[in-house]
């Protein structure tokens, strides 16, 4: 029996009719909401051609507003993803440490920054630290506030994903590492963590999408990201609603592209994990260890005893 039939039975005639009715009802509701929105926009003259023409006819809309805002958004997102990944892996491994103090300290840091809203951290870091820092140029203060807040929050979420991902692995994974002589830390780094990251890839991708969207919160601390660019563009061309809609479409395209790339990477990792290694004709080496004697150990002892007996017999014949 396949997994699909276990988790979800094939719908019968009545269920199929019910699904069809619900689908039609959902489409009708969506079309009704869209019609209502378009009607409101038309009554407010938001669908007039002159409101949308600057996006096609005026190159400065892109070169002076949208593209610079997109660059700032991507820059903050990439920096936050890199630092949050490092933070999450380190503190996730800290939460799995055998040392009680490291485990408690890592858990306290992770739980604290998971509980504080991202916007509150941005405001605190910007106005309470970076805006008045003599060592930091003023134009970089908003970027530092956005990146640090996103790093701490999303890094804490990634740390929790790492911890839960490692705990979800079969217990035999850690036992296998310990049985071949690896320490608990080496077992975590070399065996458990790679498998956990691969298994958690969909959740990690979802967190990356959150990072990209949360960069828009930087508009509160004057960071010139894409949402700030839309606000400035709407004021300059008197088309605020079209500017926000265009930026919303850009965000949708970015997030969808990121999701598709992550799905490709996930499928590639799965194919790579199920691919067998190269064939070899080398005979395996059997090493007699110091474990409790079982059947293999007893067979090895018999082979050693037989070889010793044969050597003694040859010496006797030669004597």
């Amino acid at each position: 029996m396949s997994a699909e039939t276990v988790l979800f039975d094939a719908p019968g005639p009545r269920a199929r009719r019910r699904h069809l009715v619900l689908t039609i009802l959902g489409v009708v509701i969506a079309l009704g909401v869209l019609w209502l929105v378009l009607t409101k926009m038309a009554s407010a003259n938001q669908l007039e051609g002159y409101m949308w023409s600057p996006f096609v006819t005026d190159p400065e809309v892109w070169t002076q507003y949208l593209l610079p805002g997109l660059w700032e958004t991507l820059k903050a997102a990439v920096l936050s993803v890199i630092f949050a990944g490092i933070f999450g892996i380190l503190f996730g491994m800290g939460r799995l440490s055998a040392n009680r103090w490291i485990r408690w300290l890592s858990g306290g840091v992770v739980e604290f920054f998971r509980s504080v809203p991202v916007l509150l951290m941005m405001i605190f870091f910007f106005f309470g630290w970076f805006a008045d820092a003599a060592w930091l140029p003023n134009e970089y203060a908003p970027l530092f506030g956005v990146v640090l807040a996103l790093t701490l929050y999303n890094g804490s979420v990634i740390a929790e994903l790492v911890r839960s991902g490692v705990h979800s692995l079969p217990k035999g994974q850690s036992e296998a590492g310990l049985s071949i002589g690896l320490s608990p830390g080496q077992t975590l780094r070399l065996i458990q963590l790679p498998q956990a990251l691969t298994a958690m890839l969909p959740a990690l991708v979802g967190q990356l999408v959150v990072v990209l969207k949360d960069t828009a919160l930087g508009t509160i601390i004057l960071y010139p990201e894409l949402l700030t660019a839309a606000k400035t563009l709407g004021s300059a061309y008197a088309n605020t609603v079209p500017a926000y809609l265009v930026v919303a479409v850009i965000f949708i395209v970015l997030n969808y592209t990121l999701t598709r790339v992550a799905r490709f990477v996930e499928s590639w990792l799965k194919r790579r994990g199920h691919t067998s290694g190269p064939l070899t004709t080398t005979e395996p080496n059997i090493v007699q260890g110091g474990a409790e004697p079982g059947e293999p150990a007893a067979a090895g002892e018999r082979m050693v005893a037989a070889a010793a007996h044969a050597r003694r017999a040859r010496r006797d014949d030669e004597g």
Side-chain angles (χ1 to χ4, degrees):
M1 184 179 294
S2 63
E4 287 80 2
T5 58
V6 173
L7 298 178
F8 182 74
D9 292 334
R14 294 181 59 185
R16 286 196 295 267
R17 287 194 299 268
R18 184 168 60 251
H19 294 168
L20 178 61
V21 171
L22 293 176
T23 301
I24 295 175
L25 181 61
V27 171
V28 170
I29 293 175
L31 292 177
V33 172
L34 179 62
W35 175 83
L36 180 62
V37 171
L38 292 177
T39 301
K40 291 294 184 179
M41 291 181 63
S43 62
N45 297 325
Q46 295 296 323
L47 298 180
E48 298 296 330
Y50 69 88
M51 302 289 288
W52 298 87
S53 59
F55 298 100
V56 180
T57 60
D58 192 351
E60 290 189 356
V61 169
W62 296 92
T63 59
Q64 300 297 324
Y65 297 97
L66 295 181
L67 290 181
L70 178 60
W71 163 247
E72 295 296 332
T73 292
L74 294 177
K75 180 170 65 176
V78 169
L79 291 175
S80 301
V81 166
I82 293 174
F83 293 129
I86 297 172
F87 181 96
I89 292 176
L90 290 178
F91 279 87
M93 294 176 65
R95 297 202 69 180
L96 298 167
S97 174
N99 187 299
R100 180 177 58 183
W101 298 107
I102 296 177
R103 189 168 61 249
W104 286 0
L105 177 62
S106 301
V109 171
V110 168
E111 293 300 330
F112 175 79
F113 287 113
R114 281 180 62 201
S115 304
V116 180
V118 180
L119 182 58
L120 183 61
M121 284 194 286
M122 286 186 185
I123 295 174
F124 174 79
F125 289 136
F126 178 72
F127 292 105
W129 187 9
F130 295 125
D132 298 327
W135 53 272
L136 183 65
N138 291 333
E139 62 269 20
Y140 293 113
L143 175 63
F144 275 58
V146 170
V147 171
L148 184 56
L150 292 178
T151 295
L152 294 176
Y153 176 77
N154 294 282
S156 299
V157 175
I158 293 174
E160 186 62 20
L161 290 176
V162 169
R163 185 192 66 83
S164 59
V166 171
H167 282 169
S168 66
L169 295 175
K171 189 178 180 181
Q173 298 293 327
S174 60
E175 293 176 348
L178 297 175
S179 66
I180 62 176
L182 297 178
S183 66
Q186 291 173 328
T187 302
L188 176 62
R189 294 193 305 270
L190 301 178
I191 296 179
Q192 294 177 298
L193 187 59
Q195 296 182 67
L197 292 177
T198 302
M200 295 183 307
L201 192 57
L204 291 174
V205 172
Q207 201 59 37
L208 298 183
V209 173
V210 171
V211 172
L212 185 61
K213 292 189 297 184
D214 282 351
T215 56
L217 297 175
T219 188
I220 301 297
I221 59 174
L222 308 178
Y223 182 61
E225 42 75 50
L226 196 54
L227 186 61
T228 304
K231 183 189 303 183
T232 308
L233 174 64
S235 299
Y237 288 84
N239 59 349
T240 301
V241 174
Y244 281 126
L245 290 177
V246 170
V247 167
V249 171
I250 293 175
F251 271 113
I252 292 173
V253 171
L254 288 175
N255 293 328
Y256 179 76
T257 303
L258 180 61
T259 303
R260 296 298 299 179
V261 170
R263 287 179 180 175
F264 171 78
V265 173
E266 181 182 4
S267 62
W268 178 78
L269 288 174
K270 288 182 178 179
R271 291 195 303 269
R272 183 170 176 265
H274 288 85
T275 303
S276 60
L279 296 177
T280 178
T281 58
T282 305
E283 295 184 357
N285 295 324
I286 300 177
V287 180
Q288 184 68 36
E292 290 294 329
E295 181 61 29
E301 291 175 356
R302 289 195 296 268
M303 293 175 62
V304 172
H309 179 72
R311 286 196 299 271
R312 285 196 301 269
R314 285 197 300 270
R315 287 197 300 268
D316 293 339
D317 291 340
E318 292 173 358

